[in-house]
Amino acid sequence: MTETDINEDTITDAVVQSFSACPDERLRQCLTVLTRHLHAAARELEPTIAEWETLIGFLTATGQACTPTRQEFVLLSDVLGVSALVENINHRSAAEATQATVLGPFHMTESPPRELGDTIDEVGHDEQCLVSGRVLDARGRPLAAATVDVWQADDQGFYDVQRPDAQPAGNGRGLFTTNAGGEFRFRTVVPAPYPIPVDAAVGTLLGATRRHPFRPAHIHFIASAAGHRPVTTHIFVAGGPYLDSDAVFAVKHSLIRPFDLVDDPETATRHGLSNPFRRAEIDLVLEPA
């Protein structure tokens, strides 16, 4: 055997060395770390050829399930907890900042620009909800002209892209700009818990591991403002199921909010709501860039 022989003991270093001429230092670092960890997993698990082919087939099926409105690889990242881990790594926030959560697989279309107080429930459900809040800096000062991107499932647990026959494009979505007081508000419907899609590769994985596919009821937000780090987050409906067993590991207790039933005809009339109505509030606090 010569020093150039490739075998079980030498192959990892050989692969890492093959990246030595990569001009992008960060890419070279990523490939080196991934190679070493992947090879270490293979040595520990000692997969059979058939098992490795099964894994390749699973990843192939994951890619084949992706469409312009569905991202199965994001879903896979979510159910393995990688999305939540990456969000946590990238938002080691000051205590006063809003905690980040996962983007999820349904932020696949642009939210339509809307005026403050507009409804994002274009279907027109009977029970209405007012969601309001402010975008603030870490010192509690309002951030005017901040953007708040919102998207959610309906009261049956479906996003617009999942049921284009029942929901118009853009339903449950809105892009809002805060006023001088940093305020935003919109009318909507209280979302329902829902199962993540299980009709493709990720569903096969969950079934094989006897894991449930459900997410607790929530509304997604991305808040952005000049000179500040954007935050991707949720609010979760208090008292609902799956708060302690979210399929994508995204629940933060600081983000759980009551969606109280309010009997206030004057407020309902002022906001264009039927009475009584549900109400939820959240302040989104951003760190400086």
Side-chain angles (χ1 to χ4, degrees):
M1 183 175 65
T2 69
E3 291 184 355
T4 58
D5 284 342
I6 301 299
N7 56 41
E8 184 178 331
D9 298 321
T10 64
I11 189 169
T12 302
D13 287 339
V15 175
V16 169
Q17 179 61 30
S18 75
F19 303 133
S20 62
C22 177
D24 185 325
E25 183 178 351
R26 179 60 172 170
L27 175 59
R28 184 170 67 253
Q29 178 191 24
C30 291
L31 291 171
T32 296
V33 171
L34 289 171
T35 296
R36 293 199 182 281
H37 282 280
L38 182 58
H39 283 217
R43 288 189 175 91
E44 181 177 350
L45 294 170
E46 296 187 340
T48 65
I49 297 297
E51 288 172 337
W52 189 249
E53 289 175 346
T54 297
L55 173 60
I56 297 299
F58 172 79
L59 294 175
T60 301
T62 301
Q64 290 170 337
C66 295
T67 72
T69 57
R70 175 172 179 166
Q71 234 302 345
E72 193 77 0
F73 270 110
V74 171
L75 197 60
L76 178 60
S77 174
D78 289 349
V79 303
L80 293 178
V82 181
S83 298
L85 177 59
V86 171
E87 285 287 353
N88 289 330
I89 289 170
N90 281 273
H91 290 87
R92 293 172 176 141
S93 303
E96 62 272 14
T98 297
Q99 289 186 292
T101 60
V102 301
L103 180 70
F106 293 111
H107 193 252
M108 300 296 295
T109 61
E110 292 186 2
S111 298
R114 300 188 192 273
E115 299 297 322
L116 295 184
D118 279 355
T119 184
I120 64 172
D121 173 27
E122 298 182 8
V123 175
H125 291 87
D126 291 334
E127 185 176 64
Q128 298 176 311
C129 178
L130 177 66
V131 177
S132 61
R134 298 173 297 167
V135 180
L136 307 172
D137 69 12
R139 297 173 63 182
R141 297 174 299 191
L143 293 173
T147 60
V148 181
D149 189 1
V150 178
W151 69 105
Q152 68 168 86
D154 65 9
D155 62 342
Q156 300 299 310
F158 293 101
Y159 290 83
D160 57 343
V161 295
Q162 291 178 291
R163 299 187 69 188
D165 57 329
Q167 297 187 46
N171 186 61
R173 302 178 190 269
L175 183 64
F176 297 90
T177 301
T178 60
N179 62 16
E183 297 169 320
F184 66 90
R185 65 182 180 276
F186 57 92
R187 290 169 287 150
T188 185
V189 63
V190 178
Y194 63 83
I196 60 175
V198 294
D199 58 339
V202 171
T204 300
L205 174 64
L206 294 182
T209 56
R210 302 297 188 268
R211 280 179 53 185
H212 77 71
F214 284 91
R215 298 218 59 207
H218 60 276
I219 300 175
H220 294 266
F221 296 85
I222 299 176
S224 306
H228 294 78
R229 296 178 62 192
V231 66
T232 300
T233 193
H234 298 19
I235 57 172
F236 296 91
V237 180
Y242 310 113
L243 287 170
D244 293 325
S245 61
D246 183 6
V248 305
F249 309 99
V251 174
K252 306 287 180 67
H253 288 286
S254 68
L255 302 176
I256 298 173
R257 291 290 187 277
F259 280 63
D260 292 325
L261 184 64
V262 177
D263 185 358
D264 184 344
E266 180 181 350
T267 299
T269 299
R270 186 167 70 252
H271 292 287
L273 296 158
S274 57
N275 191 67
F277 59 95
R278 297 281 176 179
R279 182 159 196 172
E281 298 179 290
I282 178 72
D283 284 345
L284 303 172
V285 182
L286 306 185
E287 293 184 282

